[in-house]
Amino acid sequence: MHNPTSGEHDLDLAPTDHIRATEAGTGRWRALTDWWRHNRATGFLRDNWLLAVAALTALAVLAVLLWGIWTFVTAIIGAIDAGLGAAGTWVTGGPITHSISDPMRAYLDAHAAGLPATGRDLWVTWLVAAGVLYLAALAGSTYARIGWAAIGALTAAAIYLGAPAGTGPAATGLTAAVWLALSLPAYAATSRVSLGDALDSLTDRRARRATTDTTY
C-alpha cells in the first residue's frame, strides 16, 4: 500500500484550494453583477446616465465658478484693505498731518512750562475738544459750529507761532485749508436743535406759563 509523502499531499491539496478561491471570487463577482442589474438606483443610473453625466458636469462647473468668485472677492477685499491701510497710515502719520500737528505740539510744549499739565496733556485735551465739537457740528448743533470755528482760529494761531522760523505762513495756510475742508460737512448738515430754537422754546414756555397763571 502506497502512503503519500508530505510533498505529494501538498500537490493534491493545491488544485483544490485554487478551485475554492476561484469559486469564491466568482460568487462575489456574481453577487455584485446581480446587485448592479436588479438594484433600483443602479437601474436609474443605467437608464439616465446622460442626465447623471450632465449633473456631474454642472456641479464641476459650479464648483469652478464658486472658486473663481471666491478668489476674486478675496483679492478685491485684500486690495481694499491694503489701500485703506496705506491711506490711514498717510493720514495719521503723513507729511500733511505732521506739518500741522508738530508745530501745534511744539507750541503747547513751549508754553506748558510751569503748568501742572504737560504739553502732552494739553495736546490730548485739544484733540478731544476738537473731536467733540466736530461731531456735534455734524449733528447740527449751532453752539458746536461756533466752537469749531473758534478752535480752528486758535489752532491756526498756535501753529503759526509754533512752526519753525520761516514756515509759519505755510503751516498756517495748510491748516486753514484742511480746516475749511473738514468744515464743509459740519456746516452743510441740517440743523436740528439750535441755540436760537432753544431760546425761542424757552421764551414760549414762559409766555404760556404766565398766561396760565393770569387765567386763574
Side-chain angles (χ1 to χ4, degrees), residues 46-138:
R46 289 196 307 271
D47 297 336
N48 302 275
W49 64 273
L50 287 177
L51 180 62
V53 172
L56 292 177
T57 304
L59 288 176
V61 172
L62 180 61
V64 172
L65 288 177
L66 291 177
W67 177 82
I69 293 173
W70 173 254
T71 303
F72 178 76
V73 171
T74 304
I76 291 296
I77 293 176
I80 293 175
D81 183 66
L84 292 177
T89 302
W90 186 85
V91 170
T92 58
I96 302 299
T97 303
H98 280 288
S99 297
I100 297 173
S101 62
D102 290 352
M104 184 69 186
R105 297 199 65 175
Y107 177 83
L108 294 176
D109 291 338
H111 292 80
L115 295 177
T118 62
R120 178 179 176 80
D121 296 333
L122 298 179
W123 168 250
V124 172
T125 303
W126 178 85
L127 289 177
V128 171
V132 170
L133 289 174
Y134 186 71
L135 292 177
L138 289 176

